[in-house]
Amino acid sequence: MDTCNVPGSNKDVKTHFKVSRFIIEAGVKLGMHSVPIATACTVYHKFFKETSLEKYDPYLVAMSAIYLAGKVEEQHLRTRDIINVCHRYQNPGHEPLEVDSKFWELRDSIVHCELLMLRMLNFRVSFQHPHKYLLHYLISLNNWMNRHSWERTPIATAAWALLRDSYHGDLCLRHEPQHIAVAVLYFALQCYGIEVPSNNNAETSWWQVFSEDVTELTINNIISDLINIYTMDTEIA
Amino acid sequence: MEKDLVRQSLSQHGPSLLSLLKSEQHEHAGFKQLLGDLSKWPQYRKERNAENPELQQFIARKADLLFATSWKSNSQEKSEMQEVAQGSYAVMPPLEQFMEVPSAQKRELFFRDAERGDIVIGRITCIREFGFFLELLCMGSGILRDIKDLKINALCPVRDVPSQSSHGDPLSYYQTGDLIQAAVKDIDRFHEKLTLSLHKSALPTHQSFIKLGVISTDDMPEYYRQSLVLSDNLNTFEKILRQSLAFSNPSSVDILLSKLGIDESNPPSLIRGLQRENFRDQDYAPFLRKKQSSSWALKCVKHGVDYFKVGRHVDAMNEYNKALEIDDKNVEALVARGALYATKGSLNKAINDFEIALENCPNHRNARKYLCQTLVERGGQLEEEDKLLNAESYYSKVLTLDETFTEAEEALSKLRQRMQKSLEKREEQDEKEEKVKEKKIETSAEKLRKLLKEEKRKKKHKQGSSSSSSSGSSSDTSSSDSHKKQKKKKRRRKLSESSSRSKKSLSNDPSHHKEECYSPPANTSASFLNHKSEVPKMLKEHDRLGHRRASAARDRSLSSSSFEIMERIRGRSEDSIDSLSSTKTQASSSRTCSEASAGKYKSSRRDSTDLYKTEERHRNSSLDHLEEGRKSSRKSDLNLSKHVSADSKERRSSGNTSGLYKTHSQGNTSRACTDEQRIVESDKAQNGSAAATKCMSGDLLNILTQIADFEKEKGTKLKNK
């Protein structure tokens, strides 16, 4: 496992998990699509790979990451919405913030933080996400599999859910997008006990078709990373 | 929990998963139900992968989410999905082609998975009397498999080939080697036999638009083309995918998601905290924004009300507008702004605001109250403006809003009384008018004729005028007319001297001129009026000059002969005007005039004198020169016509006329001639700006020549007598 790359302790991982969770939840409430959310999480994880949690408030970074991701993925979000949703997340049940000087200060800090992040990431904020790969894999698989077993089994939904959940950790930084996509698909098929037809008789197994350089070891690593995320979820909750 | 899914997973993962499931999901109600069934079928697959306890633990923990029925329903939608536009996502060659699955297995799986209603594409290999055989190349729908090398033959029986109208035998339409798109009608999985149909009825309903029958190579599905490319030139899946233009299409994600039946508005997750049911609607951005906006807007309204109380209405309005900008449906802001509008007197705007407020909040008491009051006020305004029907609608609107609003009721009853009265009045008036009309009926025909003539004349003028003013052009025609008349006049005189017919022609003449000189009524063409307004100004000056001289001339003419006057005028005019020749010709022409008039006419020229006098008076007195010009011309016409009609009478009473009258008339005619001369002179002198003046002078000339003509003729007639 590549977790040794991650700086910081287990505590940091937990914090990042929480903040990532915050990003994803806020993203859902903001109506963000999966790809912008993925970008926001990637930006967040990448940022804290460059620096440490002591230096910056992770939640502010997360808010700026959401704002930035909206721009990068061309799903423009309004800072006011971001502030409202995030404020509500931190203070459940509270009334939305008054639009006063405090509000505008918060907004300014988000914008400033966004600039800081851009500079920290050397303005490289456009990422190749596994999403597109996964969807194309799913279409190919759909055509090769029996229609009824495909329709009966929510492979696509499960794979999509796994992929979205993977952003709770920094998998996106440690693995190729194709590998993640393949692993997620593999995991989903495993969960439902489904095998790709004739995979054993074929010259090339299906995951190797999708990504030449992926090995079963990588797939299993990613899967165990994913499982770790879910374990952490129960630990924190 | 979905039974089939659990069973499928269990058969893969074996009894260890079951025990894990039992421990993890013992609280789940759905699982307890399943448990009874599950124990009955422990038919686990023999050749299982190495067991992965981590994975099984995960499945067991997330079983309620993984096997939830809600997820399953998502994926079923996609089968209904229609084909999407080309280029929206990367179409890849079939997976099995990359995997290099043995042909036997491909064939087996094809016959396992193909279904009725699927579209297949193949080439005709042979045609028999009972139908034709196809060798399948690819699929048109459903499972897009690599079947081109599987040598799958399918029969399309003759009864499933629709007959083409021009061919008796439906099969004669087809040839060996044709590409055919057909629907699978029947499939014998055991004997691996396919029956096809070309009838639309064989297609599933959502694909009934697909054309069955002969197709061209261009109509081959994209995946098949990709597959051909791949078999020619081996490439990896990844490379082909990344090279595909459609892969970089940013919207491909959304399209594929909908194709796969994944809902992004309610994204799936295996994390419990991220399940949709854990989110409350009021935590979503649109809800929060709305809430925040309304409270923000209310704050602004409060500020506005404070301003309003102090009397700073502009500031108050600004605050209200700001509030409505923040929250365009804010009822309080609308009501407050409406109230402000109402106090400022913009009742319509106020009503509008109140109405919108009531639309958004039908129970808002203040909005209703204010709206009623404002409507009544507006009704009152309308009443004052005499728009009774509108006022009535306002009052009745109030009553539909609030039946107990007595003010409106009172106002309405009053208004209805008033309307009743006015109706009666109007009826009376109508009756009166009708009576008047009846009287007028006799004359109306005449009037109509006149109007028509006028209309015609105006049209002519309009046609004539292009860039120059209408008055200018109209005057041009009339002036040229008058010139012609002058020539005519000479001719006519010769004629009239011998013939009595002249009288007839004369009597025609003025009426004819009447048409020409009749200036249009003021209300018909205001533009015409405006154009002309400059003309009388110029005319005025000339008139004044001319008049002074003419009056002087008249004084003299009382005692002296018109000849002398003409001479004098000529001299004077020579003084004042440079061009000698022009004046000379004018003078000569005027001389002929005066000669004629100064002849031995003894007729009672009082009428004509009167005419000139009135004309003069008009010119002098009237300030509105246009009006004056029109009147005078009209009058002269009138007088002329009167003159004509009175002609016979006068002729009879000619014996009574005195010598004084005679001289008077002589003097007047000569003056008329001088007038005419003056105008013509000034015309010539002021060539540049005189176009407009010319018109007036033309008019005058017309009249004057007419008069002169008339007098002459009169004279000749008298003479003849």
Side-chain angles (χ1 to χ4, degrees):
Chain A
M1 290 195 206
D2 303 335
T3 36
C4 51
N5 288 358
V6 186
S9 63
N10 192 38
K11 193 185 149 210
D12 280 357
V13 177
K14 274 187 183 167
T15 312
H16 290 319
F17 180 90
K18 277 185 195 162
V19 180
S20 308
R21 168 72 180 284
F22 161 75
I23 293 175
I24 293 166
E25 193 171 329
V28 171
K29 287 173 181 170
L30 284 163
M32 283 169 91
H33 291 176
S34 298
V35 176
I37 291 178
T39 306
C41 292
T42 315
V43 165
Y44 171 83
H45 288 303
K46 229 175 167 176
F47 180 79
F48 277 110
K49 208 172 183 179
E50 304 290 324
T51 181
S52 75
L53 272 169
E54 283 84 50
K55 286 181 185 157
Y56 299 98
D57 173 31
Y59 285 97
L60 177 64
V61 172
M63 284 163 87
S64 297
I66 291 171
Y67 185 48
L68 181 57
K71 289 181 179 176
V72 172
E73 301 297 340
E74 296 187 36
Q75 190 191 2
H76 189 66
L77 302 163
R78 297 168 76 169
T79 34
R80 199 170 127 205
D81 287 333
I82 296 172
I83 292 170
N84 285 341
V85 167
C86 295
H87 177 261
R88 186 70 158 225
Y89 181 92
Q90 307 284 0
N91 310 281
H94 278 235
E95 288 298 300
L97 279 173
E98 292 269 308
V99 186
D100 50 16
S101 56
K102 192 186 158 199
F103 179 92
W104 295 117
E105 275 168 26
L106 188 52
R107 190 194 175 277
D108 283 346
S109 55
I110 289 173
V111 176
H112 289 310
C113 184
E114 183 205 356
L115 283 175
L116 172 82
M117 289 169 83
L118 274 172
R119 284 165 66 185
M120 198 80 107
L121 302 178
N122 289 321
F123 297 92
R124 281 187 217 116
V125 285
S126 182
F127 307 107
Q128 278 273 11
H129 289 299
H131 298 72
K132 222 187 259 187
Y133 290 102
L134 176 63
L135 291 170
H136 281 94
Y137 298 166
L138 282 166
I139 292 288
S140 282
L141 203 61
N142 180 15
N143 282 320
W144 178 231
M145 278 182 57
N146 180 280
R147 235 179 305 211
H148 296 291
S149 91
W150 180 267
E151 272 164 29
R152 194 171 54 225
T153 327
I155 298 169
T157 314
W160 198 249
L162 286 166
L163 180 59
R164 283 174 62 99
D165 292 342
S166 79
Y167 284 89
H168 282 88
D170 57 356
L171 264 93
C172 50
L173 302 183
R174 287 182 286 117
H175 298 284
E176 293 290 314
Q178 293 96 315
H179 295 179
I180 295 175
V182 166
V184 158
L185 185 53
Y186 187 94
F187 195 9
L189 288 169
Q190 288 260 299
C191 285
Y192 292 108
I194 287 192
E195 283 186 346
V196 174
S198 305
N199 193 37
N200 297 330
N201 301 322
E203 290 286 313
T204 325
S205 47
W206 64 268
W207 60 83
Q208 262 180 331
V209 169
F210 289 143
S211 177
E212 254 187 316
D213 52 354
V214 82
T215 58
E216 263 186 283
L217 180 69
T218 337
I219 292 172
N220 283 327
N221 279 342
I222 295 171
I223 288 174
S224 64
D225 277 358
L226 281 168
I227 289 172
N228 276 340
I229 284 170
Y230 293 104
T231 328
M232 203 180 296
D233 176 39
T234 45
E235 276 170 26
I236 288 168
Chain B
M1 229 182 262
E2 196 61 38
K3 195 168 81 182
D4 289 343
L5 291 177
V6 180
R7 192 195 322 193
Q8 194 177 13
S9 186
L10 276 177
S11 70
Q12 171 80 0
H13 293 286
S16 53
L17 178 62
L18 185 62
S19 57
L20 280 167
L21 273 173
K22 277 176 187 165
S23 65
E24 288 287 340
Q25 297 288 337
H26 59 90
E27 282 169 8
H28 194 275
F31 182 72
K32 274 181 200 162
Q33 280 185 339
L34 275 177
L35 208 57
D37 296 335
L38 287 174
S39 50
K40 285 176 200 162
W41 20 267
Q43 302 141 356
Y44 304 114
R45 231 175 269 171
K46 288 277 177 278
E47 51 336 333
R48 286 200 307 271
N49 292 344
E51 275 182 30
N52 184 343
E54 220 184 357
L55 184 75
Q56 286 186 3
Q57 182 72 38
F58 171 79
I59 295 168
R61 274 185 186 162
K62 302 287 177 189
D64 54 326
L65 297 172
L66 279 171
F67 306 132
T69 39
S70 62
W71 274 20
K72 200 190 150 188
S73 62
N74 278 346
S75 56
Q76 274 173 340
E77 290 166 20
K78 70 121 214 263
S79 58
E80 301 291 314
M81 280 300 298
Q82 301 247 327
E83 284 298 301
V84 278
Q86 213 187 348
S88 46
Y89 65 92
V91 177
M92 299 299 293
L95 178 63
E96 62 270 29
Q97 203 179 348
F98 291 104
M99 284 166 70
E100 292 172 64
V101 175
S103 291
Q105 286 221 331
K106 283 193 209 170
R107 194 184 164 92
E108 193 191 316
L109 286 169
F110 172 78
F111 278 104
R112 189 193 75 182
D113 296 335
E115 275 182 27
R116 205 178 282 183
D118 279 350
I119 294 160
V120 294
I121 293 162
R123 211 177 275 283
I124 296 179
T125 47
C126 62
I127 301 174
R128 297 277 180 274
E129 61 271 25
F130 54 86
F132 56 76
F133 285 95
L134 287 182
E135 193 186 310
L136 299 189
L137 293 172
C138 62
M139 303 290 291
S141 77
I143 43 167
L144 305 179
R145 296 277 173 91
D146 174 31
I147 54 171
K148 60 179 181 295
D149 301 322
L150 300 185
K151 305 239 179 272
I152 297 168
N153 281 302
L155 171 69
C156 188
V158 70
R159 64 171 183 279
D160 283 312
V161 180
S163 59
Q164 308 287 330
S165 54
S166 51
H167 301 267
D169 180 14
L171 290 180
S172 63
Y173 185 72
Y174 301 95
Q175 284 183 332
T176 313
D178 276 353
L179 275 175
I180 299 292
Q181 182 159 275
V184 175
K185 193 191 170 204
D186 218 346
I187 184 160
D188 184 345
R189 297 185 203 278
F190 187 70
H191 294 103
E192 301 200 337
K193 274 183 183 161
L194 271 179
T195 319
L196 308 177
S197 172
L198 293 181
H199 285 297
K200 288 251 180 221
S201 55
L203 287 168
T205 45
H206 70 274
Q207 280 176 323
S208 50
F209 60 91
I210 286 170
K211 178 195 147 213
L212 296 181
V214 183
I215 60 164
S216 72
T217 42
D218 296 336
D219 298 329
M220 296 301 268
E222 173 74 13
Y223 98 89
Y224 177 70
R225 273 183 262 165
Q226 293 286 343
S227 163
L228 286 181
V229 172
L230 180 67
S231 37
D232 288 349
N233 168 21
L234 267 179
N235 216 335
T236 63
F237 186 95
E238 206 180 330
K239 259 189 191 161
I240 295 172
L241 185 63
R242 298 183 77 153
Q243 277 166 6
S244 167
L245 268 178
F247 182 68
S248 42
N249 180 351
S251 65
S252 65
V253 172
D254 291 333
I255 290 159
L256 288 173
L257 279 172
S258 67
K259 203 173 157 66
L260 289 165
I262 301 170
D263 183 10
E264 276 280 78
S265 63
N266 179 19
S269 174
L270 285 167
I271 289 199
R272 279 176 213 290
L274 287 175
Q275 299 306 305
R276 179 63 182 86
E277 53 268 24
N278 293 341
F279 296 163
R280 294 182 305 160
D281 283 334
Q282 55 260 51
D283 289 347
Y284 277 71
F287 182 89
L288 288 173
R289 165 175 283 269
K290 217 175 154 189
K291 205 168 174 184
Q292 188 181 45
S293 293
S294 69
S295 77
W296 191 4
L298 271 182
K299 216 165 116 189
C300 292
V301 174
K302 261 179 213 161
H303 280 296
V305 170
D306 288 343
Y307 281 132
F308 182 74
K309 279 176 184 163
V310 190
R312 290 166 68 179
H313 288 179
V314 176
D315 291 321
M317 182 59 81
N318 283 341
E319 287 293 331
Y320 297 153
N321 283 335
K322 191 177 156 196
L324 287 168
E325 227 168 78
I326 294 160
D327 181 7
D328 59 345
K329 296 271 164 70
N330 192 290
V331 180
E332 295 304 325
L334 282 166
V335 172
R337 195 173 73 173
L340 183 53
Y341 274 136
T343 53
K344 285 283 170 194
S346 314
L347 296 185
N348 279 335
K349 281 180 177 177
I351 289 166
N352 198 26
D353 276 354
F354 292 141
E355 275 175 349
I356 296 169
L358 267 185
E359 242 169 63
N360 293 320
C361 180
N363 298 320
H364 199 281
R365 200 178 289 169
N366 273 353
R368 186 182 297 272
K369 202 173 99 192
Y370 292 162
L371 178 57
C372 289
Q373 282 172 354
T374 319
L375 282 170
V376 168
E377 206 170 316
R378 178 71 188 137
Q381 269 187 6
L382 285 168
E383 230 179 299
E384 275 169 33
E385 288 166 25
D386 229 30
K387 291 172 184 164
L388 300 183
L389 278 174
N390 287 354
E392 192 196 8
S393 74
Y394 274 92
Y395 291 142
S396 37
K397 209 192 264 176
V398 174
L399 290 176
T400 56
L401 283 166
D402 185 1
E403 288 161 15
T404 60
F405 207 80
T406 47
E407 221 176 299
E409 226 165 331
E410 283 165 22
L412 192 61
S413 58
K414 264 187 203 167
L415 175 69
R416 290 211 165 120
Q417 280 175 6
R418 201 179 144 187
M419 281 168 86
Q420 193 66 37
K421 273 183 196 167
S422 71
L423 265 176
E424 280 165 16
K425 235 185 226 174
R426 200 173 294 165
E427 268 168 31
E428 272 174 40
Q429 262 184 356
D430 282 352
E431 271 173 38
K432 270 183 198 168
E433 267 172 36
E434 255 169 57
K435 276 178 194 169
V436 174
K437 260 184 199 168
E438 273 167 29
K439 279 179 195 168
K440 276 183 180 172
I441 276 173
E442 299 132 49
T443 55
S444 63
E446 258 175 74
K447 264 189 183 173
L448 203 75
R449 224 172 287 150
K450 268 186 201 169
L451 278 170
L452 277 171
K453 276 176 184 173
E454 238 174 78
E455 203 74 349
K456 255 186 213 168
R457 191 177 54 83
K458 252 184 264 160
K459 265 183 200 164
K460 268 182 203 166
H461 286 319
K462 266 176 202 164
Q463 281 166 1
S465 68
S466 51
S467 62
S468 66
S469 70
S470 57
S471 68
S473 65
S474 75
S475 61
D476 278 350
T477 52
S478 63
S479 68
S480 66
D481 253 3
S482 70
H483 287 308
K484 269 183 210 161
K485 286 269 151 61
Q486 267 184 323
K487 281 175 196 167
K488 258 189 201 168
K489 179 182 67 186
K490 283 175 191 168
R491 246 192 298 145
R492 208 183 285 148
R493 196 176 48 187
K494 281 170 197 165
L495 276 167
S496 63
E497 261 167 283
S498 55
S499 75
S500 60
R501 205 180 32 165
S502 57
K503 196 227 150 193
K504 212 178 176 184
S505 71
L506 182 81
S507 62
N508 284 342
D509 229 335
S511 65
H512 174 69
H513 269 270
K514 191 176 179 180
E515 284 163 27
E516 294 227 297
C517 301
Y518 216 103
S519 22
N523 57 347
T524 49
S525 62
S527 59
F528 187 73
L529 217 142
N530 285 337
H531 282 305
K532 247 190 164 173
S533 67
E534 282 169 32
V535 179
K537 254 183 217 166
M538 288 173 165
L539 192 77
K540 186 183 160 192
E541 287 189 330
H542 295 302
D543 269 1
R544 234 181 259 146
L545 257 172
H547 179 62
R548 231 178 277 144
R549 288 173 198 178
S551 54
R554 191 174 36 181
D555 289 342
R556 265 174 235 133
S557 75
L558 279 168
S559 55
S560 62
S561 79
S562 57
F563 231 122
E564 281 173 41
I565 300 160
M566 285 326 292
E567 292 276 313
R568 270 184 213 172
I569 287 165
R570 198 169 120 203
R572 234 201 283 173
S573 59
E574 269 169 6
D575 288 344
S576 59
I577 280 115
D578 302 321
S579 87
L580 188 80
S581 60
S582 71
T583 35
K584 254 188 184 167
T585 52
Q586 285 306 316
S588 64
S589 79
S590 70
R591 199 188 296 158
T592 53
C593 241
S594 58
E595 250 180 316
S597 58
K600 300 150 197 173
Y601 302 153
K602 281 174 184 170
S603 67
S604 57
R605 284 280 60 92
R606 205 191 314 173
D607 274 316
S608 67
T609 328
D610 283 344
L611 163 72
Y612 290 122
K613 270 183 183 163
T614 48
E615 241 186 303
E616 269 167 44
R617 228 175 285 139
H618 270 295
R619 273 180 212 161
N620 294 335
S621 62
S622 169
L623 282 167
D624 185 355
H625 288 273
L626 170 76
E627 197 60 17
E628 164 249 303
R630 202 191 305 138
K631 263 189 205 161
S632 63
S633 65
R634 214 181 283 166
K635 206 146 205 166
S636 63
D637 287 337
L638 231 129
N639 279 328
L640 273 170
S641 56
K642 225 195 251 168
H643 197 56
V644 176
S645 61
D647 198 27
S648 52
K649 268 192 221 162
E650 278 164 27
R651 234 190 295 162
R652 257 176 260 137
S653 63
S654 59
N656 303 334
T657 51
S658 64
L660 183 78
Y661 276 126
K662 197 173 97 189
T663 45
H664 242 279
S665 71
Q666 275 174 7
N668 273 314
T669 10
S670 67
R671 195 188 54 77
C673 288
T674 47
D675 263 359
E676 175 192 326
Q677 191 192 5
R678 281 238 59 84
I679 289 157
V680 175
E681 276 166 9
S682 62
D683 257 355
K684 298 225 163 164
Q686 305 185 344
N687 251 342
S689 65
T693 331
K694 223 191 220 167
C695 94
M696 246 358 236
S697 67
D699 276 351
L700 268 169
L701 265 174
N702 265 343
I703 299 156
L704 294 169
T705 37
Q706 277 167 34
I707 293 156
D709 270 9
F710 186 69
E711 278 173 321
K712 263 179 264 153
E713 248 121 349
K714 260 279 163 75
T716 46
K717 262 174 231 159
L718 280 169
K719 225 178 171 181
N720 289 345
K721 268 198 175 176

